[in-house]
Structure formats: structure tokens, C-alpha cells
Amino acid sequence: MAFRAAVVTFPGSNCDRDMAVAIEQISGTAPIRVWHGDPTLPDNLDFIALPGGFSYGDYLRSGAMAANSPIMQSIIEAAGKGVPVLGVCNGFQVLTESGLLPGALMRNASQNFICRTVSLRIENNATVFTKAYGKDEEIRVPVAHHDGNYFADEATLDRLEGDGRVAVRYLEKLNGSRRDIAGIVNQAGNVLGMMPHPERAISAELGGEDGSRLFEGVIAGMIAA
Amino acid sequence: MKIRVLVQLKPGVLDPQGRAVHHSLEGLGFEGVNEVRIGRTIDLDVADDTSDAALDDMCKKLLANMVIEDYVVEKLDQVEPA
């Protein structure tokens, strides 16, 4: 059965096309494009992706306006039913602002916009998103963000670490993130937010393909299910 | 009713913007500045019968991010004219 994915576009999203290309290239089926103002998501989705960009111009806080857009209620419901939801960069910010993931993404400690390829370690390869990677595998994926400095209080960080919810970690002091966290999953493991862009690392010609297996993992899991 | 909401990073949360401004003030020769913290002011004009609870709810649900920020609600109309 064809892989049924949705890519949500907010006003100001700018990685939505890259995300759609990645999903189509790896799954063989073009995702359904969803607009932030759509009242509901299509039925029976296998995967929902919230792309990077600057939704609503980052007004108030990055992701804050998008987290309250009409489509979000439907995304929160789908996440609650176990549909895998991936938020990349601004998508991660939307997931924390909407409460689907704990913590917040603050301005980079250096105050600089950071745009380069960085090394990450797969901390937990038992999630639906990371199962095609090895445990502790190191991968190279681009980042491009101004607000990627992950913050949560110590108790929350300890809980995330203890429950294996830190999915990917930077191998350097990149942006001020607490405990160098690059990406986390929710309690159920079906919502992943990460600042690095796996959709920009899907072909050697474009600098690397370490991001491909994230999509391959999700797609293999859903088609088998 | 005129409302002013002041949103500030919680104590202990690093404020890189404030730190950069602090350094700039020192660069300009101003001495004795111990710390700079930058926040946000949001002015609202709301119906006079808007409850304090509703204002709190606005702050908690949208105007402030309670993970990293605190807020103070001020009623500007109640300030005595100078």
C-alpha cells in the first residue's frame, strides 16, 4: 500500500518543498500538501511532517503562532492516535509551543544564525524515526537556525535522558542547547522534534545522505504495519 | 481597559541578547552595569469586563511561554495621572 504522508505548510514555511521531495524520493509517493488554515488533516495518514522555515515571521516567538493555527488541533489528535509526527527546525519549535514536546527553543547562545553541516549522535535507535540507524552512530546533517538553543528545566532534562527520549545529540557545543540536545521524542515515541534538517541530507550530490534513513525507517515501519 | 503585559525570561534562563547589550554598554564606557535582561512589552486594549483570570489565561496560552518566561499584567487605566 502506498505511503500516505502529509507535509503541512504554514505562512512562512520554506523547507516544505524539500520535505515533500525527500518523502517522495524515498517512499515513491508524493505527500499530500496541507495548508495551515485547512480545518482538518486527510484521513488515515502514515506520517505527518512539519517543515522548517519562519512560520508567521516568527512573530511573538518562533513557532508560537503556528502552534495555534487551525490545523494544529487535528495534528495534536493524530499524534495522540500514534501517527508519526516529525517536526524539523521551525517544525520542532511548533511542536514545543503546541505542547506536543516539552521544553523550548531559545535564541542561539552565540546570537548568530548557524548554517552548516554538523555531526550528530543517534542516542536512541529504538524510535520509529531512528531505527534504521545504529545505536550511537554518528551522522552528518545540516543545521540552519537562529533559535535552536534547547531549554528545559533540570528535572525535565533528567526525565528525558532517563526515558531515552533524547533521540539525537550534537557532538559539539553548537548553540547553547542544554546537554547538547538536537532532537527529542514524546513519551509515546511517535513525535520527534529536531533542529537539524534530515530532508536536506538525502543525496550525495547535495552534500550527504545521512538523513535518508530517518525517512526510510518511518516508511518501512508504516508500510509493513 | 488598557492592559500592559511585561514578559521576561525567568531568572536563571540565559539571555544572550541581554548579555550582548551589556557588553555594548560597557563598550560605550558605561560603568557599573551589573546585568541586562531583555523582555517584551505587549499592550492590549480589552473590554472593561475582562476578568483577571481571562488575562492570566491569555498570558499562559500565548503571550508568554511558561517554560522560559514569567509575565506581569498591569492595568494602565488604574495608574494615577501624573
Side-chain angles (χ1 to χ4, degrees), chain A residues 60-61 64-65 68 97 103-104 106-111 149 151-152 178, chain B residues 9 12-14 16-17 19-20 40 42 61-65 67-69:
Chain A
L60 193 62
R61 295 177 304 274
M65 309 304 290
N68 293 291
E97 281 285 346
M106 299 180 56
R107 182 53 45 100
N108 293 340
S110 65
Q111 288 277 89
N149 177 356
F151 178 89
R178 291 288 168 107
Chain B
L9 287 173
V13 175
L14 178 72
Q17 202 180 175
R19 203 172 50 177
R40 172 184 284 125
I42 302 167
K61 285 188 174 156
L62 182 62
L63 302 181
N65 179 335
V67 176
I68 48 173
E69 295 170 331

Side-chain angles (χ1 to χ4, degrees), chain A residues 5-217:
Chain A
V7 173
V8 181
T9 300
F10 301 95
S13 295
N14 63 13
C15 303
D16 44 339
R17 185 179 179 280
D18 293 37
M19 184 68 81
V21 167
I23 292 168
E24 179 167 9
Q25 184 172 315
I26 295 165
S27 72
T29 306
I32 301 160
R33 305 295 292 271
V34 175
W35 179 237
H36 77 115
D38 290 354
T40 56
L41 288 166
D43 291 336
N44 301 317
L45 290 174
D46 295 318
F47 181 49
I48 300 164
L50 308 187
F54 300 86
S55 57
Y56 297 85
D58 279 350
Y59 289 174
L60 193 62
R61 295 177 304 274
S62 300
M65 309 304 290
N68 293 291
S69 64
I71 197 65
M72 274 314 291
Q73 206 49 49
S74 194
I75 293 170
I76 290 167
E77 282 167 23
K81 289 178 188 157
V83 177
V85 177
L86 168 68
V88 169
C89 201
N90 189 225
F92 186 9
Q93 295 158 348
V94 174
L95 291 175
T96 57
E97 281 285 346
S98 69
L100 280 171
L101 291 174
L105 280 312
M106 299 180 56
R107 182 53 45 100
N108 293 340
S110 65
Q111 288 277 89
N112 294 320
F113 190 97
I114 302 171
C115 184
R116 60 185 166 87
T117 299
V118 300
S119 294
L120 305 171
R121 185 168 59 234
I122 305 293
E123 295 284 346
N124 178 353
N125 72 337
T127 77
V128 63
F129 307 97
T130 53
K131 63 190 178 199
Y133 296 98
K135 170 93 175 83
D136 296 329
E137 183 176 346
E138 293 180 12
I139 61 172
R140 300 272 299 163
V141 178
V143 296
H145 60 246
H146 210 166
D147 296 324
N149 177 356
Y150 183 74
F151 178 89
D153 60 42
E154 287 297 313
T156 302
L157 291 168
D158 287 342
R159 200 176 72 236
L160 291 173
E161 300 268 14
D163 293 346
R165 289 171 56 189
V166 177
V168 280
R169 202 186 306 267
Y170 304 114
L171 290 178
E172 62 178 303
K173 297 281 172 212
L174 183 75
N175 55 17
S177 282
R178 291 288 168 107
R179 305 192 191 180
D180 300 321
I181 287 171
I184 56 169
V185 291
N186 65 343
Q187 185 75 53
N190 68 305
V191 177
L192 168 67
M194 61 190 291
M195 290 311 296
H197 288 269
E199 82 283 5
R200 294 192 192 177
I202 57 161
S203 78
E205 293 81 357
L206 294 175
E209 49 192 3
D210 282 354
S212 300
R213 275 178 290 157
L214 188 144
F215 298 98
E216 288 166 11

